[in-house]
Amino acid sequence: MSTTTVTDSADKTRRKTGPRKSATRSEELRLVIADEIVQGRLSPGTPLEELEVARRFGVSRTPVREAIRELAASGLVETRPHRSALVALPSLDRLRGMFEVMAELEAICAGLAAVNMTGAERRNLEALHETLGELVRQGDPQRYHEVNENFHSAIYHGSHNDYLTEITLATRARLSPFRRAQFRTLGRLSLSHAEHDRVVTAILRGEKTAAEAAMRGHITVVEETYERYSGAR
Amino acid sequence: MSTTTVTDSADKTRRKTGPRKSATRSEELRLVIADEIVQGRLSPGTPLEELEVARRFGVSRTPVREAIRELAASGLVETRPHRSALVALPSLDRLRGMFEVMAELEAICAGLAAVNMTGAERRNLEALHETLGELVRQGDPQRYHEVNENFHSAIYHGSHNDYLTEITLATRARLSPFRRAQFRTLGRLSLSHAEHDRVVTAILRGEKTAAEAAMRGHITVVEETYERYSGAR
DNA sequence: GATGATTTGTACGTATGTATA
DNA sequence: ATATACATACGTACAAATCAT
C-alpha cells in the first residue's frame, strides 16, 4: 500500500503541550537536516536526493525542496540546477577563509562584550568559565565541548548586537562539520582553557582591545588544530 | 556576425542567443526581486503575495515560492508561516547593529587588502579613487554612487577571502535600502572622498592597522549620515 | 464570535535538463 | 552520437490557516 494518509497518531487537534513543533513541514525539515549536518551525522559531500529525503520523513517532495533551498541559501548545502543537492564541501582554501572570518567575528563579539555586557552576563560568563575549568580537571572532552559552545554563545550575545550574533552563529554552524576532532587530546583541552582565561579576564575588566586580541588568538589556534587533523586535500 | 536572424518565431527550442538568462525561473526571479529591493523599487514593508508576483512574471506560484524562500534566508525579505512575505523592515536598533557590523567587516576587508592585494589590484584601486575624485569635482552624485560601489567591492575582493567578500556584499545589500539619501549633498561627497584617500593611502602602503582604522571611520560616518536622514522610528 | 474569502502549505503529475551506456 | 535513465523544475489541485466582515 502507498504510504499516503499517514495517520500519524490520532492527534490532529491543536496540542499546546509538546516540544513546540514547528508550524510547517518545510521548517521542521530544515531544522532537522541542518542539525544532522552540524552534528556530523550527514557528512560533507553527501547527496540529498529529494525523493529519498521525502520518503525518509514521510512527506512529499515539495517541503523537502523548500527546506533544501533555504539550507543552500544559508550555506549548509550546495545546489546546482537539475542536479541533486550536496551537503556543503568547501575547498581547503575556502575553509581557511571561513576560519579567518570566524576569528575576526569572534574577536569583534569579545570586544563588544567587554564594553556592553551587563553585570549578570559577566557573572554568567565567569561561571561558565569555572565550569569549563572543572571539566578540564575531570578530563571530559565531550561535556567540555558542549559547555564550550555555551561559553562562546554567551560572548556573542554579550555583544548586544543581534545581527552580529546571527552571522557569527551561522558561520560557526557552517564550520562545525570541520572541527569535530578539536578536543580529542587533553592537551588541547587545557590549552583552550588557558586561552579562555585571557579572554574572560579582558572582558571582565572591560578591556575591549585586549579581549579582541585574546579571542582572535584563541580562534586562530583552533584553526591550526583543524588543519593538522584534516590533512591536505 | 550572424546574418540569418530568424526573428524569434514560435521558438521553443533551445536558444543559445540572448543575454545569458539564468537557468531556472526561481533563480531568475530571485535575482530580479533582490535587485528591486536593493535598488529601492520595492520599499521595506511591502508585501510579496505569491499569486500577485506569479502573475506579474507570468509563472506559477512554485518558482515564486522558492525565490521568496531564498530571499528570506538571505535576509532581504521576512516570512512568517501562513502569512505573506514582506520586504525586510528591520527595527532601528537592528539597523544600528547592522551598520556596526558593516563597519567592522569593511575594516577587516581593508586590512586584508592592504596585505594581500596584487600590484594590478592596487593600481586598479588607485584608478577608481582618481575617477571618484573627478566625479566630486564635476559634482555628479549619481555616478559617484555607482563608482563608489565598485571602489568598495574592489577592496572586498582585494582581501582575497571569498567568504568575507560574500558576507560583506550580503550585508551591504541588506543595508542598501536604508542608505539611499547618502550622497544627496555635495559636502558629503567631498568628505567621502577625503576619507577614501586615507583608506587608499594606507592600503597602498600595506599598512594593515591604518587601513582598518580609516575604513572603520569612513563607514561609521556613513551611518551617522543615515541616522540623520531617517529620523526616529 | 462565526463565516466566507483570500492566501499560504502540501501533494502529485508532467516536462525538461543532465549524465551515462 | 543517439538513446536511455534519472533527478530536478514547474504547473496545478486541494487542504489548511489567516483575515475581513
Side-chain angles (χ1 to χ4, degrees):
Chain A
M1 280 309 247
S2 72
T3 55
T4 45
T5 54
V6 190
T7 62
D8 202 351
S9 76
D11 190 0
K12 263 216 169 130
T13 54
R14 195 157 327 289
R15 41 177 175 188
K16 310 191 70 164
T17 55
R20 203 94 202 95
K21 290 186 76 168
S22 95
T24 69
R25 299 190 206 288
S26 319
E27 182 70 359
E28 197 174 339
L29 288 172
R30 184 179 66 80
L31 294 174
V32 172
I33 297 172
D35 199 61
E36 290 184 343
I37 295 172
V38 167
Q39 302 293 330
R41 292 199 297 281
L42 282 174
S43 322
T46 305
L48 294 174
E49 259 179 55
E50 293 176 3
L51 237 171
E52 176 196 322
V53 176
R55 273 193 299 254
R56 184 151 76 88
F57 291 100
V59 298
S60 82
R61 285 175 44 219
T62 307
V64 172
R65 281 179 63 79
E66 300 195 344
I68 288 179
R69 275 320 233 259
E70 293 178 4
L71 291 168
S74 79
L76 285 175
V77 315
E78 297 162 358
T79 68
R80 289 165 66 187
H82 301 285
R83 297 235 268 296
S84 299
L86 306 177
V87 177
L89 181 60
S91 71
L92 185 52
D93 238 38
R94 188 176 174 82
L95 267 180
R96 286 208 190 92
M98 292 172 71
F99 273 114
E100 182 172 49
V101 169
M102 192 65 193
E104 294 297 332
L105 289 175
E106 293 237 20
I108 296 166
C109 288
L112 289 175
V115 177
N116 293 336
M117 267 191 166
T118 66
E121 287 171 331
R122 288 168 201 274
R123 283 190 295 278
N124 179 52
L125 183 68
E126 217 175 349
L128 285 167
H129 183 48
E130 281 166 19
T131 301
L132 286 171
E134 278 299 322
L135 294 170
V136 172
R137 255 166 267 135
Q138 296 169 17
D140 188 338
Q142 181 55 45
R143 283 218 62 211
Y144 187 93
H145 173 69
E146 292 165 19
V147 179
N148 182 57
E149 299 273 299
N150 297 338
F151 175 84
H152 283 271
S153 292
I155 293 175
Y156 307 160
H157 286 100
S159 72
H160 289 210
N161 184 322
D162 290 349
Y163 183 69
L164 176 60
T165 300
E166 281 169 26
I167 66 176
T168 306
L169 283 169
T171 301
R172 181 166 80 177
R174 292 172 72 163
L175 282 172
S176 66
F178 306 98
R179 8 171 246 190
R180 185 118 312 99
Q182 237 176 91
F183 298 125
R184 276 213 290 230
T185 72
L186 243 62
R188 178 68 198 115
L189 220 65
S190 142
L191 180 56
S192 169
H193 189 253
E195 290 162 7
H196 280 191
D197 200 69
R198 292 179 54 221
V199 173
V200 171
T201 300
I203 289 178
L204 292 183
R205 286 185 185 159
E207 296 173 353
K208 180 174 180 175
T209 307
E212 286 172 354
M215 184 60 97
R216 190 159 21 228
H218 173 54
I219 303 299
T220 302
V221 170
V222 169
E223 170 183 6
E224 283 163 5
T225 303
Y226 153 73
E227 300 231 22
R228 197 172 319 126
Y229 278 105
S230 75
R233 202 187 305 174
Chain B
M1 102 194 301
S2 69
T3 49
T4 35
T5 321
V6 193
T7 67
D8 62 289
S9 52
D11 187 0
K12 268 220 165 124
T13 55
R14 164 172 358 282
R15 41 177 177 185
K16 310 190 69 162
T17 55
R20 206 84 203 104
K21 292 185 78 168
S22 101
T24 70
R25 299 193 205 291
S26 321
E27 182 70 359
E28 198 174 338
L29 289 171
R30 183 179 68 79
L31 293 174
V32 171
I33 297 172
D35 199 61
E36 290 184 343
I37 295 172
V38 167
Q39 302 293 330
R41 293 200 296 281
L42 282 174
S43 320
T46 305
L48 294 174
E49 257 177 55
E50 293 176 4
L51 241 173
E52 176 195 322
V53 176
R55 272 193 298 256
R56 183 151 78 88
F57 291 101
V59 299
S60 82
R61 280 175 52 217
T62 306
V64 171
R65 283 180 62 80
E66 300 192 345
I68 287 179
R69 278 318 230 271
E70 293 179 5
L71 291 167
S74 80
L76 285 175
V77 314
E78 297 162 357
T79 67
R80 288 163 65 186
H82 300 286
R83 292 222 268 296
S84 300
L86 305 177
V87 177
L89 182 60
S91 70
L92 185 51
D93 238 38
R94 187 176 174 82
L95 266 180
R96 285 206 190 94
M98 292 173 70
F99 273 114
E100 184 172 47
V101 169
M102 192 65 192
E104 295 298 332
L105 289 175
E106 294 236 20
I108 295 166
C109 288
L112 289 175
V115 177
N116 294 335
M117 267 190 166
T118 66
E121 286 172 332
R122 289 168 200 273
R123 285 190 293 278
N124 178 51
L125 183 68
E126 215 174 350
L128 284 168
H129 183 48
E130 281 167 18
T131 302
L132 286 170
E134 278 300 321
L135 293 170
V136 172
R137 255 167 265 136
Q138 298 169 15
D140 188 339
Q142 180 56 44
R143 284 219 58 213
Y144 187 93
H145 173 70
E146 292 164 20
V147 179
N148 181 56
E149 301 273 301
N150 297 338
F151 175 83
H152 283 270
S153 292
I155 293 175
Y156 308 161
H157 286 99
S159 72
H160 289 209
N161 184 322
D162 289 349
Y163 183 69
L164 176 60
T165 300
E166 280 169 26
I167 66 176
T168 306
L169 282 169
T171 301
R172 180 165 82 178
R174 292 172 73 162
L175 281 172
S176 65
F178 306 98
R179 9 171 244 191
R180 184 115 316 96
Q182 235 176 95
F183 297 124
R184 277 213 290 232
T185 71
L186 245 60
R188 178 68 198 114
L189 220 65
S190 141
L191 180 56
S192 169
H193 190 255
E195 291 162 7
H196 279 191
D197 200 69
R198 291 180 53 222
V199 173
V200 171
T201 299
I203 289 178
L204 292 184
R205 286 185 185 159
E207 296 173 354
K208 180 174 182 176
T209 308
E212 287 172 355
M215 184 60 97
R216 189 159 21 227
H218 173 54
I219 303 298
T220 301
V221 170
V222 169
E223 170 183 7
E224 282 163 5
T225 305
Y226 153 74
E227 300 232 21
R228 197 172 318 126
Y229 278 104
S230 76
R233 199 190 304 174

